[in-house]
Amino acid sequence: MTHPALANRIRSAVDVDAVVALTQDLVRLRSENPPGGETEVAKHLRGVFAGMGLTGRVVEPAPGRPSLLVATGDGARSGKPVLLVNGHLDTVPAAAGGWRHDPFGGRVQDGRLYGRGTADMKGGIAAAVTALQVCRSLELELPCEVVFHLVADEELGGARGTAELLRQGLVSADACLVPEPTGLRLCLAERGLMFAKVATHGIPAHGSEPAKGRSAIITAAAIVQVLHDNVFPQTPHPLLGTTTCNVGMIRGGSGPNVVPEECELRIDRRILPGETQPDAEQGIIDRIASLGLYRGTDYELEVETFCEPSEIDGAHPFVDFVARSCRAMTGRDPGRTGLPFTTDARFMRNQLGVPSIVFGPGDLGVAHTVDEYVDIDALVTAVGVYAHVFASFTGTEPLSSKPARSSVDTEVEGAHSVS
Ligand SMILES: [Zn+2]
């Protein structure tokens, strides 16, 4: 079938009400993380797949933290190329105030669907599932196996979601689509992150005679000035720009009448492809050394979380393939972009070398905000493009993109929001 004929058939079969209703259903089933709890969303989607005659498998490494795995056929055993759709079922919490629309109401107004997760990323998941329904309603013989991994825990790093699936050896694919919100542009690269704690030391003294002590808060304040919102000396990435550093927390002192002995900063340093954890640590150390302050004597630096950056080579054939499906369905090129934060795409790119593109409906700028929404037009466009991809994917050439790293993200202490 020629591409225009396929595009027209898909367009005529896309059911706007179906993708809107599925997105609403998913938004109404709360799955905020923290605390985390994807059971109801996973159960609902399992039922939707069952309606297509597809049996899902659940991997649940901790109670209430399921990931749903569904394949259109025998997966890799079918001999067909495998296209993986990886999407996360959890959302960030919806803060109590500030919303004009109920974050779990799924209200539609002026062409937008509002609610927590509409953009990030229940809308994208609903679009991908609806796309499979479109293919089946048209009785298209898919040239590939489409495998859905609808996972838990992405918002806190993925340890109970995609990372667990990898640990169990359950992830294998020729290419991967991640329907996170990218404004329907092809996202080829994303920054990693390093969360670290900087603890400064002082000499306590009576608050009435501050000159007799040395304030840990004054030292910390100087460090804040050289770290926060400063650019570190890296060559800017064409899609990601520069690194950044945010000092997001500060805690110190024991009372107004004591020269503070301890102060602690928590920082969020974003990482460009090619940069390692030791590189990023050294950048912090060098910057603080410009103040004449030294690790071990004046302060301690402790890395709490490191998530790797990742990218796919823009010349990889899978990029052009997805772009062709976009052009076939929309008449325009989707454009290329990078994400300032991490997604689960990094696992497939870095650990398996699977060419992975993040592409989905919804605007980056509304993810994690109040009155999060997705444009219904964008949902519909995504359904069409995903259906076109499912109906056309015949594999990729041998990889021209190489894994940026082979190591695993590290998390030293506790759980931290990483996206
Ligand atoms: Zn997301």
Side-chain angles (χ1 to χ4, degrees):
M1 192 184 299
T2 63
H3 281 278
L6 174 62
N8 286 335
R9 286 188 67 194
I10 289 171
R11 226 173 269 119
S12 66
V14 172
D15 182 343
V16 181
D17 293 340
V19 69
V20 169
L22 180 54
T23 307
Q24 287 174 315
D25 289 343
L26 300 181
V27 167
R28 288 167 183 158
L29 298 168
R30 297 175 68 152
S31 54
E32 296 152 281
N33 185 19
E38 295 85 357
T39 302
E40 293 305 315
V41 191
K43 198 193 292 180
H44 185 82
L45 284 163
R46 198 173 193 180
V48 174
F49 283 111
M52 289 188 261
L54 299 175
T55 309
R57 170 184 174 189
V58 169
V59 174
E60 192 165 357
R65 310 310 305 274
S67 292
L68 176 64
L69 287 59
V70 181
T72 50
D74 292 333
R77 287 189 300 279
S78 69
K80 291 180 180 176
V82 172
L83 178 68
L84 175 64
V85 176
N86 174 292
H88 64 84
L89 301 173
D90 58 327
T91 69
V92 291
W99 286 71
R100 285 183 301 125
H101 304 282
D102 176 0
F104 307 104
R107 183 187 171 95
V108 172
Q109 188 175 316
D110 300 329
R112 291 176 172 174
L113 202 169
Y114 287 89
R116 175 57 80 225
T118 47
D120 187 10
M121 58 176 295
K122 291 175 172 177
I125 289 173
V129 174
T130 307
L132 188 61
Q133 290 173 323
V134 166
C135 293
R136 294 173 89 85
S137 72
L138 292 170
E139 298 181 352
L140 297 174
E141 170 118 18
L142 303 187
C144 61
E145 286 288 336
V146 182
V147 174
F148 285 81
H149 285 182
L150 303 177
V151 301
D153 201 32
E154 189 270 353
E155 294 290 1
L156 289 185
R160 295 186 177 91
T162 298
E164 175 65 21
L165 302 186
L166 279 165
R167 200 185 62 75
Q168 294 192 26
L170 297 172
V171 187
S172 143
D174 294 274
C176 175
L177 270 184
V178 179
E180 291 261 19
T182 65
L184 295 174
R185 290 186 294 166
L186 305 186
C187 174
L188 309 183
E190 58 192 47
R191 298 196 301 181
L193 64 82
M194 182 175 79
F195 291 164
K197 194 156 62 181
V198 178
T200 59
H201 312 302
I203 299 170
H206 197 283
S208 64
E209 295 183 295
K212 289 192 171 172
R214 193 178 74 209
S215 166
I217 288 181
I218 291 293
T219 305
I223 291 175
V224 172
Q225 297 290 329
V226 295
L227 294 183
H228 185 76
D229 202 22
N230 270 321
V231 173
F232 290 77
Q234 271 97 25
T235 308
H237 185 282
L239 294 175
L240 298 171
T242 61
T243 61
T244 56
C245 185
N246 175 59
V247 182
M249 291 176 71
I250 184 165
R251 190 180 65 203
S254 55
N257 56 349
V258 182
V259 175
E261 187 175 11
E262 302 288 347
C263 188
E264 185 181 290
L265 308 171
R266 304 277 293 277
I267 65 173
D268 169 359
R269 168 77 154 74
R270 299 290 161 144
I271 309 294
L272 293 181
E275 195 179 11
T276 65
Q277 180 176 327
D279 295 340
E281 280 186 65
Q282 195 57 48
I284 301 286
I285 291 166
D286 290 347
R287 187 60 61 92
I288 297 176
S290 71
L291 298 167
L293 297 171
Y294 300 97
R295 185 180 190 175
T297 50
D298 302 299
Y299 72 96
E300 309 297 335
L301 174 65
E302 182 191 338
V303 175
E304 299 172 291
T305 302
F306 187 84
C307 292
E308 297 172 335
S310 70
E311 62 182 335
I312 174 175
D313 189 332
H316 194 285
F318 186 55
V319 177
D320 187 47
F321 168 77
V322 178
R324 277 203 306 271
S325 282
C326 290
R327 288 195 296 270
M329 294 306 301
T330 68
R332 58 182 188 273
D333 189 87
R336 316 293 187 266
T337 189
L339 289 175
F341 48 76
T342 62
T343 75
D344 277 356
R346 73 186 185 281
F347 292 115
M348 272 66 77
R349 288 171 177 158
N350 290 349
Q351 292 183 43
L352 299 177
V354 172
S356 302
I357 293 176
V358 184
F359 169 82
D363 202 64
L364 277 181
V366 303
H368 299 200
T369 65
V370 296
D371 289 321
E372 179 179 348
Y373 68 88
V374 65
D375 283 316
I376 291 172
D377 280 353
L379 277 181
V380 170
T381 300
V383 173
V385 173
Y386 295 147
H388 198 279
V389 167
F390 298 166
S392 315
F393 182 69
T394 54
T396 61
E397 301 297 314
L399 300 181
S400 60
S401 72
K402 48 197 176 304
R405 294 283 177 276
S406 58
S407 62
V408 185
D409 291 342
T410 52
E411 183 161 321
V412 180
E413 172 193 303
H416 308 280
S417 180
V418 299
S419 45

